[in-house]
Amino acid sequence: ALDVGTLVEGAIEPEGKDKVRVTTRLFDGSGVPLSDRASLVIPRDSLFAAGESVAEKVSSSLRALLGPEIQLREGQARAGNLKAWTFFARGEKSRKDAEPVAGSDSARAAGLLAQADSLLEQAVQADPQWIDPIVLRGEVAIQNARLDKDKVEKDKWYQAGTQHAEQALKLDPVNARALALRGTLRYAQWRLNLGTDAEERKKKTGFYDAYS
């Protein structure tokens, strides 16, 4: 055994008369595929000069694959204890699981987001000084607002998310992710209120004004 985490498999095949197709794919140390195949078609006489392009393809695949893993490991390093990290990881999984079904099954997505928020709340309780689960609860609130069609309920979600953002900023006033979350929520509330004001004006006057 080579005792490595990631392997790169490559193949070169003819592609017409004057070209070849270089295909690469990533595997884990036990041979399980980690990515789709990445292909590059190049002139046959440029094969040896194409090393840089092939390397860039492999590098892009590695970045896409390892980016989330690196983020998780960085989060784990910031967690104060294993219990908080476990709740956070489970909450993040539920939140991500809600994304692909939000458009086709809103009830299932809402259930997954409720589960995510509950798990993240437990992560906060397990380590009140860890900012990541607090910020993620705010992001879950935004996802819930997108699911909800009722404007009053949307506003409640935005308010809840803002509370999480403010809580995070009390721990770290310059945290980029918390600042971005607060900015996103403020803009969403502004847009929501702008639409509500426009509807009220229409009821009173019979038309939307130029600022609606």
Side-chain angles (χ1 to χ4, degrees):
L2 296 176
D3 192 25
V4 295
T6 307
L7 297 170
V8 180
E9 179 187 82
I12 300 175
E13 301 171 330
E15 183 84 5
K17 261 188 179 182
D18 304 316
K19 297 179 181 179
V20 294
R21 178 179 296 274
V22 180
T23 304
T24 61
R25 194 175 191 185
L26 300 176
F27 294 82
D28 68 13
S30 61
V32 176
L34 296 175
S35 70
D36 294 331
R37 289 182 173 84
S39 296
L40 181 68
V41 177
I42 56 176
R44 188 183 295 270
D45 57 5
S46 300
L47 179 59
F48 292 104
E52 186 174 340
S53 298
V54 174
E56 178 58 32
K57 281 276 186 181
V58 174
S59 177
S60 296
S61 297
L62 277 170
R63 284 195 297 270
L65 173 68
L66 297 178
E69 176 68 17
I70 291 171
Q71 289 177 3
L72 282 175
R73 289 187 182 275
E74 289 176 344
Q76 187 174 11
R78 289 191 295 269
N81 56 71
L82 181 59
K83 184 178 180 181
W85 162 251
T86 301
F87 282 129
F88 175 81
R90 290 172 58 197
E92 172 71 329
K93 183 180 184 305
S94 293
R95 186 194 69 81
K96 286 184 175 179
D97 287 346
E99 291 178 344
V101 300
S104 58
D105 192 344
S106 59
R108 184 183 172 201
L112 287 166
L113 290 174
Q115 183 181 60
D117 188 64
S118 176
L119 289 163
L120 292 168
E121 183 179 17
Q122 293 178 78
V124 174
Q125 292 171 354
D127 183 1
Q129 299 303 309
W130 186 25
I131 199 172
D132 292 30
I134 302 172
V135 173
L136 199 57
R137 289 191 76 192
E139 294 175 1
V140 168
I142 292 176
Q143 286 178 261
N144 272 309
R146 289 171 179 161
L147 283 179
D148 215 315
K149 303 301 181 185
D150 184 82
K151 288 188 175 181
V152 174
E153 294 303 314
K154 276 182 179 290
D155 191 54
K156 288 180 180 178
W157 285 119
Y158 290 147
Q159 289 180 34
T162 300
Q163 289 176 359
H164 296 314
E166 295 294 351
Q167 182 184 357
L169 288 169
K170 285 181 181 178
L171 294 174
D172 183 359
V174 295
N175 183 275
R177 194 171 168 190
L179 288 168
L181 173 65
R182 185 175 65 178
T184 299
L185 285 158
R186 284 180 174 176
Y187 178 70
Q189 285 181 297
W190 177 80
R191 287 289 304 270
L192 184 67
N193 292 331
L194 183 67
T196 302
D197 292 344
E199 288 181 1
E200 290 299 321
R201 286 194 295 273
K202 184 180 180 183
K203 288 178 183 177
K204 292 178 181 178
T205 65
F207 60 89
Y208 288 111
D209 61 35
Y211 298 99
S212 303

